[in-house]
């Protein structure tokens, strides 16, 4: 079990997706990329982001960045550390977070929502491996 | 007579304004600062700017820079437009006010404030006019 | 027909032609088909203003004054005219001119030129670049073509260092603008050109015309689609008010529009569309669902885009003057409105403005009627009468015999009509208006008649003549018929105008309110400048004081002047007023006085407060009226006035002193 | 008065009080002075919901079920009630409850407590931070106070890890939001709370309630200024519709407002204010000249600011669903409209919807009338009748005897009244409405009478009583008077209600349409869920199909249901329809069926097309209607329907 956004977290995440998630069944063979911007990361109130890229349902890229230089992505979600934490702890669904404006979305809502389900699968997998958060 | 935005231009204008413009009569003792951004400067289509600062009608700062920001100083207001517009203004083909009202110059900051010092600024422009004769074509 | 041919074949001296050309008022009525004649074939084919009757008249003036030298294109321009006579018919309806004679003279003039007199036009890099964007045919730097744009976007005194480009869509416009910025060349869009032609002779000219650079003529953006379901129409920047209305009416829908010749998109941007329908149909942003705009960086955006800067608000205050649109509207999705089956019209005559005003405001607050306006007798006469002279006599009769100085002019359904009739002492109905239109010449001829003398002794002449016992006599006496009215036109056009006036719509006042082909008559053979604004309507005495002030200033400057109209807006919370100065735009002294009157009245209005002057709402038509009209402008202080004067001087130049 | 004291001082057990409390519907009518009784003194003084009658009712429920333990605040809450009886009067008018009895029971309960049972509440860093912003009194983490917000922003199930803060102005709201973000806490504003309380029993609960974090109670932003010259008003987020209307009326002006208890600013945000006046006064951005709002980052913005990104537009399409606002409107500059001297009400009865709808759409397109609506007999009955029983009988009479199924309900000036009367065979005028309001108990009692039987045999019973020979007998028979009506209330309240109904406005239909104190009766002792939305008015059969669909789904899940009202919008180009399902919010099974109904009707509506459903409506109120309603909605494709389900399911859980 690892800490949110840590090196290990990424590694676990990658492996988990590759092993556990079927590109066709779970990921619907989608090709897309997602940039998640995380604001107010404790303890120093910094900004971080993770970039995730799927090709035909297969994980192509998954990395974490510090600071506010961001990578181009099909769509971008933005929110504070707390909401990501809630999502990863299963307190709130990604779609719900979007509809409640806890996550702001850049890009087409339709496109975003189309991959909500597979994304949930991914979150699910990350949920199982993430137990530690900054307080 | 010198070339717009050249170092000489910068220096000579400074002296000229200090010499020829009376802080009270011409510049009405205004205290303000103006950042003028010049886009599409030939030949390399670059962006330049000059920053101009008046205190109680005295010129306290006048610097030419590249890029669209003036390092360090926050100007009271910022006007931006393309090289051609500035050329027309300095050639006396168009007044600064008209340039503003016609959207040739874009203004950041209160139009009210800007127009209140338009007169004194015209004074400055006129003096710049006197010494500027050469432009990139 | 044969008679017509003969007429036009007769030679005409350059002097005579020049006389005609000078009277051209650039009303643009020759660029769309409002009489069912079809439109000028050469204009339609070549597009540039130079190929339209209006352009040929302008070119002729320029050639005669030596301001422009012949070029290869001149031959094409002269010869492209087929002498079909359409322009004479259209122009006669509006301003009683014969543009074809000028076209004829132009032909003669060019044919007599010798090759050596033609100047050569070289294609420079800029024109090359523009042609890469729009294609060979649609960009030019030919001085003769450029000269046709003088007075409708180019100041008469400026050199002709311009380019004219006619893009076909927003993408091309975006490219043109980026290209222009790249090369530091100013640019400006041109649509109908009437607004510019009104301002050009005045002090505003230099400020509002393009000093040099690229004229973007939008005539080719011709998209026009009506969506009946959502009651909307998608309208390209090249579409005139008349063309849109025609399309809308096919579906029993109506658009809220300016004068027939004004282009819809540019009109939204410039004044937000001022019409008698605006109390019901709305003003400014109320008029459209969405617009596509190319901004001055060349970026294309819609007002429905989320990531753009707030497109619905503007700075307020008397210093917020804008002399160019916030961008080029290339397309707009405008609202259309249902036309009730039982629409009818009713006019209520008044002697005093006060009474007319209180009625119109009451109707507006209670949302009675679809079209609401107070017209001055001047407007009424100009609209109804086929010629200037007849209009003059008609107005004289209104003033001296009928005591008819104003009419409250209402279009509404039968219920609205009842309401108005109950409020009014006497009214003029649709059939009576038809009688007045067709009988105008006869009525004018009665100017000094016994009949009118008798009438004028009645306690209430209007009542007697429109609703009382004398109505029958009047109707009989006027013997109003297409034949009668046709007689006032040139012999060779009488058959044509008989047919025109036999068409129901030409005497259908509702149709005329929707299609607005009559206002062009205000400009016949001379120009007028309209001082206009919007004034908060709760204090009706103040509105009267305003009108009073406007007339006093005009007297001071010895100008022919008259209130044009007052119409309510924003549920009657405001009224829009237009006050007109008439003058000869070829007389520099007169124009100078117009300018002075313009500035002086603007100042006085600013001091009065509660008024939003034309200078302050120009080019704000894209914004929400709530952000333009509110908070209600307060009267300005003396320091503010000083600031305003400084501003005016820096706009108008030092030749303008107090 | 003393009789009043006797009654209310009758002891009742906590159990009995809970029985009353459970019937509370959080209508919020006890927080505005709509009967001229004055306001609950403790609520006025302490502000937090806990100190209002509504809050006390919520608290006893959770004390009883042991969800919360007593705190010092509980004692303050109990003792702050002066037993003045105002709440009983207000609540009786709306829902016939006796909140004072609950308050009394709470006092008794508190008196019996011994110190040891009272838990102390620690101040933590978050609370300290909030108090630095708003001052000590206006931020709390006391579980009892928090519990009073359950069902009107907090979900009944789940812990109470919340903070309540009551800012005083926009700046404080901004600071609170920045503080919340920095500490990664979610937050949600609370105004009148009715929208939230309606959704709470349903599947929308998780969607719209705050899961944990900071509840921003806006009640203290109570700026209210009328500007007669520009006929506009500056309205703070704490101002209720009724309060704004009252102020506007002093200047012979009228605001376009929702139900009396709804807060004006919040209502703009949620639905853009749906009213019967919408066709002439407007909807969405039409309602305001300007807004001041604080966004999710805590930035303060005005709609008139030039620098901000386009505040008037929103994404188009069915996936554009928002379950909470991305901003808090702290102040609105509302448009006001003139009140004419010759305004009147005229109601035209119909036995079928089609004809009623035809008429109201025609009126809408021709711009006749100020307020335009089709009301179902259900609405009419609930509005007019003082209690449910009478309403039920009134309904039955409408249905079985006089064939009154719908009324076209028009408020207009004299001229427009003539127009309506000419269109209608006959109509119900204002004096007849007064008779029906004051005479409703008597009328109800005639349910099985000979008179009604005879009447029902007329070929046009409506005409007979409203415009025909029987009108006189009818009016006489009902002997409509404040005295008669007052009789239906508890003994100790009869004097009071006699006075209330003697006030002209209480039987003045125009006033009632403007001040909207009657809709609260729809919720008396039960909950209402009113899906619906705006539908293109061009195809009447399409509209009728839509209404039938609501009825069918209602039957499928055997719910009590009826068409609420229909009002034209945007010059009759659209009409807004509210269709209501009534249910007991304490019964989880029926609540579950309501949820299914809500989802099913929404999906079916989207598939039908040309419909802008309530779910899409939510939180679009500050945009231009032109960007919300246009282009017209097309019906969903199969694929889109799939997508819609997926979205809802991942939001609301499987259904």
């Amino acid at each position: 079990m690892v800490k949110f956004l840590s090196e290990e977290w990424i590694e676990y995440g990658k492996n988990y997706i590759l092993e556990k998630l079927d590109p066709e069944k779970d990921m619907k063979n989608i090709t897309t990329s997602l940039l998640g911007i995380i604001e107010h990361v404790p303890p120093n109130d910094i900004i971080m982001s993770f970039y995730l890229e799927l090709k035909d349902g297969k994980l192509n890229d998954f990395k974490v960045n510090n600071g506010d230089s961001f990578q181009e992505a099909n769509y971008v979600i933005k929110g504070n550390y707390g909401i990501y934490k809630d999502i990863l702890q299963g307190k709130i669904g990604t779609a719900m977070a979007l509809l409640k404006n806890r996550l702001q979305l850049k890009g087409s809502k339709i496109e975003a929502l189309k991959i909500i389900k597979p994304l949930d699968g991914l979150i699910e997998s990350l949920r199982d491996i993430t137990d530690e958060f900054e307080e | 007579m010198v070339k717009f935005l050249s170092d000489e231009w910068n220096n000579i204008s400074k002296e000229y304004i200090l010499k020829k413009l009376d802080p009270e009569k011409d510049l009405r003792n205004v205290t303000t600062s103006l950042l003028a951004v010049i886009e599409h400067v030939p030949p390399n289509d670059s962006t330049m700017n000059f920053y101009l600062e008046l205190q109680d009608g005295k010129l306290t700062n006048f610097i030419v820079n590249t890029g669209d920001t003036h390092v360090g100083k926050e100007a009271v207001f910022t006007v931006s437009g393309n090289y051609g517009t500035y050329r027309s203004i300095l050639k006396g083909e168009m007044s600064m006010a008209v340039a503003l009202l016609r959207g040739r110059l874009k203004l950041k900051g209160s139009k009210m404030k800007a127009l209140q010092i338009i007169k004194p600024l015209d004074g400055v422009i006129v003096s710049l006019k006197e010494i500027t004769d050469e432009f990139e074509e | 027909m044969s008679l017509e041919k003969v007429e036009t074949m007769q030679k005409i001296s350059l002097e005579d032609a020049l006389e005609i050309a000078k009277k051209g008022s650039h009303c643009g009525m020759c660029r769309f088909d409002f009489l069912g004649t079809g439109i000028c074939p050469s204009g339609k084919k070549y597009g540039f203003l130079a190929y339209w009757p209006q352009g040929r008249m302008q070119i002729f003036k320029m050639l005669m004054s030596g301001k422009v030298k012949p070029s290869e294109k001149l031959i094409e321009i002269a010869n492209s005219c087929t002498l079909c006579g359409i322009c004479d018919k259209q122009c006669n309806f509006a301003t009683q001119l014969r543009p074809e004679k000028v076209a004829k003279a132009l032909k003669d003039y060019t044919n007599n030129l010798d090759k050596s007199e033609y100047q050569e036009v070289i294609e420079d890099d800029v024109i090359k670049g523009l042609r890469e964007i729009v294609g060979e045919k649609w960009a030019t730097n030919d001085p003769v073509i450029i000269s046709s744009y003088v007075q409708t976007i180019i100041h008469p005194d400026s050199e002709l260092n311009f380019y004219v480009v006619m893009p076909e869509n927003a993408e091309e416009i975006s490219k043109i603008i980026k290209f222009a910025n790249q090369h530091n060349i100013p640019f400006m869009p041109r649509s109908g050109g009437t607004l510019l032609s009104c301002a050009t002779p005045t002090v505003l000219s230099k400020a509002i015309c393009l000093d040099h650079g690229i004229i973007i003529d939008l005539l080719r953006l011709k998209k026009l689609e009506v969506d009946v379901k959502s009651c909307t129409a998608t309208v390209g920047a090249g579409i005139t008010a008349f063309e849109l209305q025609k399309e809308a009416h096919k579906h029993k829908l109506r658009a809220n529009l300016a004068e027939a010749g004004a282009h819809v998109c540019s009109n939204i941007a410039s004044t937000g569309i001022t019409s008698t329908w605006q109390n019901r149909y709305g003003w400014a942003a109320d008029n459209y669902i969405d617009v596509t705009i190319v901004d001055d960086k060349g970026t294309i955006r819609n007002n429905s885009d989320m990531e753009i800067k707030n497109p619905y608000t503007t700075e307020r205050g008397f210093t917020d003057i804008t002399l160019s649109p916030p961008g080029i509207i290339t397309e707009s999705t405008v609202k259309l409105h249902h036309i009730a089956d039982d629409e009818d019209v009713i006019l209520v005559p008044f002697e005093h403005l006060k009474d007319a005003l209180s009625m119109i405001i009451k109707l507006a607050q209670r949302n009675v009627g679809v079209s609401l306006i107070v017209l001055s007798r001047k407007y009424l006469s100009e609209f109804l009468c086929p010629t200037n002279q007849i209009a003059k006599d008609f107005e004289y009769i209104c003033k001296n015999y009928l005591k008819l100085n104003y009419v409250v002019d209402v279009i509404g359904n039968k219920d609205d009509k009842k309401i108005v009739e109950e409020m009014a002492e006497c009214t003029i109905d649709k059939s009576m208006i038809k009688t007045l239109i067709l009988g105008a010449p006869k009525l004018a001829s009665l100017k000094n008649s016994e009949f009118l003398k008798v009438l004028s002794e009645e306690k209430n002449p209007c009542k007697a003549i429109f609703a009382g016992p004398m109505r029958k006599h009047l109707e009989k006496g006027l013997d109003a018929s297409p034949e009668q009215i046709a007689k006032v036109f040139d012999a060779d056009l009488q058959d044509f105008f008989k047919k025109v006036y036999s068409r129901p719509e030409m005497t259908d006042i509702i149709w005329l309110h929707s299609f607005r082909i009559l206002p062009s008559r205000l400009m016949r053979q001379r120009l007028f400048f309209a001082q206009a604004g919007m004034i908060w309507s709760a204090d009706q005495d103040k509105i009267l004081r305003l009108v009073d002030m406007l007339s006093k200033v005009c007297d001071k400057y010895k100008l022919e002047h008259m209130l044009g109209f007052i119409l309510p807006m924003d549920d009657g919370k405001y009224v829009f007023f237009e006050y007109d100065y008439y003058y000869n735009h070829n007389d520099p002294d007169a124009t100078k006085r117009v300018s002075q009157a313009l500035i002086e009245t603007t100042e006085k209005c600013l001091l009065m407060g509660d008024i939003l002057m034309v200078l302050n709402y120009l080019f704000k038509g894209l914004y929400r009226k709530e952000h333009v009209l509110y908070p209600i402008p307060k009267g300005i202080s003396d320091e503010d006035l000083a600031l305003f004067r400084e501003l005016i001087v820096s706009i108008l130049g030092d030749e303008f002193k107090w | 008065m003393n009789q009043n004291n006797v009654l209310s001082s009758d002891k009742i057990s906590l159990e009995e009080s809970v029985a009353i409390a459970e019937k509370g519907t959080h209508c919020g009518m006890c927080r505005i002075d709509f009967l001229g009784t004055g306001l609950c003194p403790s609520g006025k003084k302490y502000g937090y919901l806990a100190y209002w009658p509504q809050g006390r009712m919520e608290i006893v429920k959770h004390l009883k079920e042991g969800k919360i333990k007593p705190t010092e605040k509980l004692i303050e809450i109990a003792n702050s009630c002066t037993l003045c009886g105002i709440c009983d009067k207000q609540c009786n008018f709306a829902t016939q409850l006796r909140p004072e009895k609950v308050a009394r029971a709470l006092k008794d309960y508190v008196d019996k407590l011994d110190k040891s049972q009272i838990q102390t509440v620690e101040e933590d860093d978050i609370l300290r931070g909030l108090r630095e912003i708003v001052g000590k009194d206006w931020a709390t983490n006391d579980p009892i106070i928090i519990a009073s917000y359950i069902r009107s922003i907090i979900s009944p199930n789940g812990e109470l890890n919340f903070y309540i803060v009551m800012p005083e102005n926009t700046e404080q709201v901004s600071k609170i939001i920045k503080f919340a973000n920095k500490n990664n806490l979610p937050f949600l504003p609370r105004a009148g709370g009715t929208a939230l309380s309606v959704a709470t029993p349903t599947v929308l609960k998780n969607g719209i309630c705050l899961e944990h974090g900071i509840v921003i109670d806006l009640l203290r932003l109570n700026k209210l200024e009328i500007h007669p010259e520009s006929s506009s008003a500056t309205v703070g987020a704490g101002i209720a519709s009724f309060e704004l209307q009252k102020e506007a009326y002093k200047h012979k002006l009228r605001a376009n407002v929702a139900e009396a208890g709804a807060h004006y600013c919040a209502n703009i945000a949620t639905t853009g204010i749906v009213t019967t006046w919408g066709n002439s006064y407007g909807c969405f951005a039409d309602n305001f000249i300007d807004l001041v709002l604080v966004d999710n980052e805590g930035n303060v913005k005005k709609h008139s600011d030039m620098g901000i990104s386009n505040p008037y537009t929103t994404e188009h399409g069915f996936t554009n669903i928002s379950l909470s606002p991305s901003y808090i409107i702290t102040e609105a500059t509302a448009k006001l409209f003139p009140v004419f001297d010759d305004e009147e009400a005229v109601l035209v009865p119909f036995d079928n919807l089609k004809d009623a709808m035809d008429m109201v759409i025609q009126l809408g397109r021709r711009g006749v009338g100020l307020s335009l609506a089709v009301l179902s007999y259900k609405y009419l009955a609930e509005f007019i009748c003082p209690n449910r029983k009478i309403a039920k009988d009134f309904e039955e009479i409408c249905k079985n005897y006089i064939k009154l199924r719908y009324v076209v309900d028009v408020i207009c000036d004299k001229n427009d009244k003539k127009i309506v009367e000419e269109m209608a065979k006959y109509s119900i005028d204002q004096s007849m409405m007064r008779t029906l309001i004051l005479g409703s108990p008597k009328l109800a009692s005639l349910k099985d009478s000979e008179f009604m039987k005879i009447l029902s045999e007329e070929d046009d019973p409506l005409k007979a009583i409203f415009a025909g020979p029987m009108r006189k007998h009818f009016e006489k028979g009902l002997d409509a008077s404040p005295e008669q009506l007052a009789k239906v209330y508890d003994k100790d309240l009869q004097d009071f209600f006699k006075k209330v109904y003697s006030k002209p406005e209480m039987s003045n239909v125009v006033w009632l349409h403007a001040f909207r104190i009657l809709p609260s009766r729809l919720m008396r002792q039960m909950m209402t869920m009113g899906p619906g939305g705006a539908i293109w008015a061009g195809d009447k059969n399409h509209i009728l199909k839509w209404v039938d669909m609501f009825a069918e789904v209602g039957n499928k899940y055997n719910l009590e249901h009826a068409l609420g009202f229909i009002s034209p919008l945007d010059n009759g180009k659209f009409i807004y329809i509210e269709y209501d399902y009534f249910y007991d919010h304490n019964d989880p099974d029926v609540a579950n069926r309501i949820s299914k109904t809500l989802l099913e009707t929404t999906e079916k509506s989207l598939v039908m097309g040309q419909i802008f459903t309530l779910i899409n409506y939510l939180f679009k109120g500050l945009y231009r209607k032109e960007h919300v309603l246009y282009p017209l909605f097309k019906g969903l494709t199969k694929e889109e329907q799939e997508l819609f389900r997926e979205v809802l399911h991942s939001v609301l859980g499987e259904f």
Side-chain angles (χ1 to χ4, degrees), chain A residues 99-113:
Chain A
L99 300 185
K100 290 183 92 159
N101 297 300
R102 297 290 166 70
L103 286 178
Q104 274 95 39
L105 177 87
K106 276 214 177 59
S108 152
K109 215 172 208 163
I110 291 229
E111 285 314 306
L113 291 169

Side-chain angles (χ1 to χ4, degrees), chain C residues 229 285 288 303-305 308-310 312-313 335-336 342 366 413 415 418 422 536 573 624 626-627, chain D residues 229 231 285 288 303-305 307-310 312-313 335 342 366 413 536 573 610 624 626-627:
Chain C
K229 232 177 177 190
Y288 62 86
N303 269 16
S304 55
D305 294 345
I308 59 170
K309 280 256 172 78
N310 191 351
Y312 288 109
T313 190
K335 293 183 193 170
L336 302 178
D342 57 347
R366 291 176 177 250
N413 60 41
D415 304 318
K418 270 198 217 111
E422 278 173 26
W536 178 57
K573 291 198 203 81
R624 267 184 91 225
E626 290 79 358
H627 292 319
Chain D
E229 69 290 350
S231 69
F288 56 84
H303 265 41
S304 57
D305 290 344
I308 62 173
S309 64
N310 197 347
Y312 284 107
T313 191
K335 284 188 200 170
D342 57 349
R366 294 169 74 91
D413 66 11
W536 181 60
K573 286 176 191 160
Q610 291 161 21
R624 276 181 84 220
E626 290 81 357
H627 291 319

Side-chain angles (χ1 to χ4, degrees), chain D residues 7-68:
Chain D
L7 251 194
S8 56
S9 58
D10 290 346
K11 289 231 179 304
I12 75 162
S13 69
L14 196 65
E15 286 70 15
E16 293 170 277
S17 77
V18 167
I20 297 176
E22 277 178 339
K23 293 182 177 163
T25 53
H26 308 87
C27 64
M29 294 296 279
C30 53
R31 301 210 302 168
I32 55 171
D33 181 14
F34 66 101
L35 292 179
T37 55
L39 276 178
C40 167
S42 75
K44 204 168 156 191
K45 176 174 176 201
Y46 295 93
Y48 293 111
L49 200 54
Y51 295 82
W52 295 92
Q54 169 185 345
R56 292 199 183 84
M57 297 213 285
E58 194 60 36
I59 289 170
V60 294
K61 289 193 290 183
H62 302 295
L63 278 173
K64 176 72 177 46
E65 73 194 14
K67 189 184 178 74
I68 42 171

Side-chain angles (χ1 to χ4, degrees), chain D residues 109-157:
Chain D
Y109 170 84
V110 168
D111 294 343
K112 293 205 196 68
L113 287 173
D114 78 57
K115 290 279 160 290
S116 65
Q117 295 169 277
I118 295 169
Q119 64 168 329
T120 49
V121 185
E122 294 305 324
E123 177 182 70
D124 61 17
D125 294 352
I126 299 296
L127 186 59
R128 232 170 266 118
L130 290 172
R131 284 179 167 163
E132 272 167 33
I133 299 171
V134 295
K136 186 169 185 326
D137 292 351
W138 301 113
T140 181
N141 61 348
D142 182 284
I144 298 286
I145 295 183
I146 291 167
S148 68
Y149 287 82
I150 290 173
R151 279 184 176 272
S152 63
I153 190 165
I154 296 174
S155 157
N157 31 30

Side-chain angles (χ1 to χ4, degrees), chain C residues 170-189:
Chain C
E171 291 62 33
E172 288 183 359
I173 292 172
S174 158
K175 289 198 188 114
I176 293 167
I177 293 177
K178 285 174 178 158
F179 177 84
N181 288 336
Q182 262 267 320
H183 295 73
N184 288 309
I185 308 170
F187 58 87
M188 198 164 135

Side-chain angles (χ1 to χ4, degrees), chain B residues 28 39-40 42 45 82-84 87-88 94-95 97-98 101-104 106 111-112 115-116 119 122, chain C residues 181-182 184 186 188 206-207 209-211 296-297 315 319-324 643 646-647 650-651:
Chain B
R28 295 193 193 165
E39 289 156 342
H40 303 293
D45 197 0
N82 64 35
Y83 189 84
R87 188 170 51 209
S88 316
M94 180 190 284
S95 82
V98 173
L101 302 183
R102 295 180 61 157
R104 296 280 183 84
K106 287 264 169 301
K111 203 178 231 168
M112 187 78 177
L115 291 169
Q116 272 162 352
K119 200 84 187 148
D122 276 347
Chain C
N181 288 336
Q182 262 267 320
N184 288 309
M188 198 164 135
K206 282 213 170 60
C209 284
L210 183 62
D211 41 348
D296 54 12
K297 293 262 177 288
E315 261 186 77
T319 55
D320 189 32
I321 299 171
T322 315
L323 297 174
S324 61
L643 175 57
E646 264 179 21
L647 184 54
S650 31
I651 299 171

Side-chain angles (χ1 to χ4, degrees), chain A residues 1 18 20 23-24 57-58 62 70 82 99 103 118 128 133:
Chain A
M1 299 302 280
L18 294 173
K20 299 273 173 59
E24 191 181 344
K58 284 189 217 61
F62 186 30
F70 304 124
L99 300 185
L103 286 178
D128 299 351
F133 294 91

Side-chain angles (χ1 to χ4, degrees), chain D residues 405-628:
Chain D
R405 294 305 179 86
Y406 305 93
V407 289
V408 167
D409 167 9
V410 183
I411 308 289
C412 55
D413 66 11
K414 273 208 168 47
N415 295 323
D416 288 354
K417 181 163 181 271
K418 279 193 214 122
I419 297 170
V420 176
E421 283 167 343
E422 277 173 27
M423 290 169 75
K425 284 205 264 70
Y426 47 83
S427 59
I428 310 176
D429 60 18
Q430 208 161 325
S431 82
M432 175 55 88
M433 283 307 293
R434 184 163 193 281
T435 310
L436 289 175
I437 291 174
L438 297 178
S440 58
K442 190 65 189 298
L443 178 59
S445 72
L446 296 175
K447 197 171 105 197
D448 306 309
S449 67
E450 265 315 301
F451 176 81
M452 281 297 160
K453 290 208 181 55
I454 299 163
L455 187 58
S456 63
E457 275 136 30
E458 294 269 340
D459 52 1
D460 189 343
L462 287 168
K463 185 170 183 185
I465 50 166
F466 293 132
M470 293 176 86
R471 173 170 178 157
K472 273 196 200 49
H473 312 296
F474 188 63
E475 282 175 327
K476 216 153 143 301
L478 292 188
D479 98 75
S481 68
E483 291 74 7
Q484 286 301 324
L485 185 59
K487 289 209 181 90
V488 309
Y489 290 93
D490 296 348
K491 280 239 159 332
D492 60 317
L493 296 177
Q494 292 184 359
D495 287 353
F496 171 74
F497 277 104
K498 198 177 113 193
K499 288 196 202 75
V500 165
Y501 279 99
S502 310
K503 291 192 212 153
E505 68 258 29
M506 297 307 285
S507 49
N508 175 336
V509 185
V510 177
W511 189 91
L512 291 167
H513 274 75
F515 285 82
R516 302 185 66 181
I517 62 177
L518 295 182
S520 57
R521 286 179 168 173
L522 282 169
M523 304 226 278
R524 40 191 155 196
Q525 302 176 38
M526 53 148 30
M527 196 52 84
T528 312
M529 168 56 75
I535 180 168
W536 181 60
D539 177 352
K540 286 174 191 127
N541 294 326
H542 194 64
I543 300 170
L544 293 170
K545 274 204 218 88
W546 196 34
V547 175
D548 293 339
M549 182 276 289
F550 281 115
E552 281 157 21
V553 176
N555 292 335
K556 175 175 166 192
Y557 293 106
N558 54 68
L559 295 163
E560 181 184 354
H561 61 85
L563 174 73
F565 74 99
I566 295 183
S567 270
L569 285 178
D570 196 11
N571 306 311
K573 286 176 191 160
F574 289 86
I575 56 175
Y576 188 93
I577 295 188
E578 178 175 320
Y579 197 95
D580 293 306
Y581 301 97
F582 302 86
Y583 69 104
D584 171 358
H585 52 287
N586 299 305
D587 170 353
D589 168 60
V590 68
N592 181 25
R593 280 181 278 129
I594 286 286
S595 302
K596 289 188 169 133
T597 310
L598 186 60
L599 297 182
E600 196 165 319
T601 53
T602 303
E603 186 175 324
K604 287 201 156 90
S605 304
L606 288 171
V607 172
M608 283 178 70
Q610 291 161 21
I611 294 168
F612 189 71
T613 69
L614 183 63
I615 287 223
N616 297 103
Y617 238 96
L618 280 180
F619 303 113
K620 305 284 197 311
L622 40 56
Y623 307 124
R624 276 181 84 220
K625 66 173 181 299
E626 290 81 357
H627 291 319
V628 179

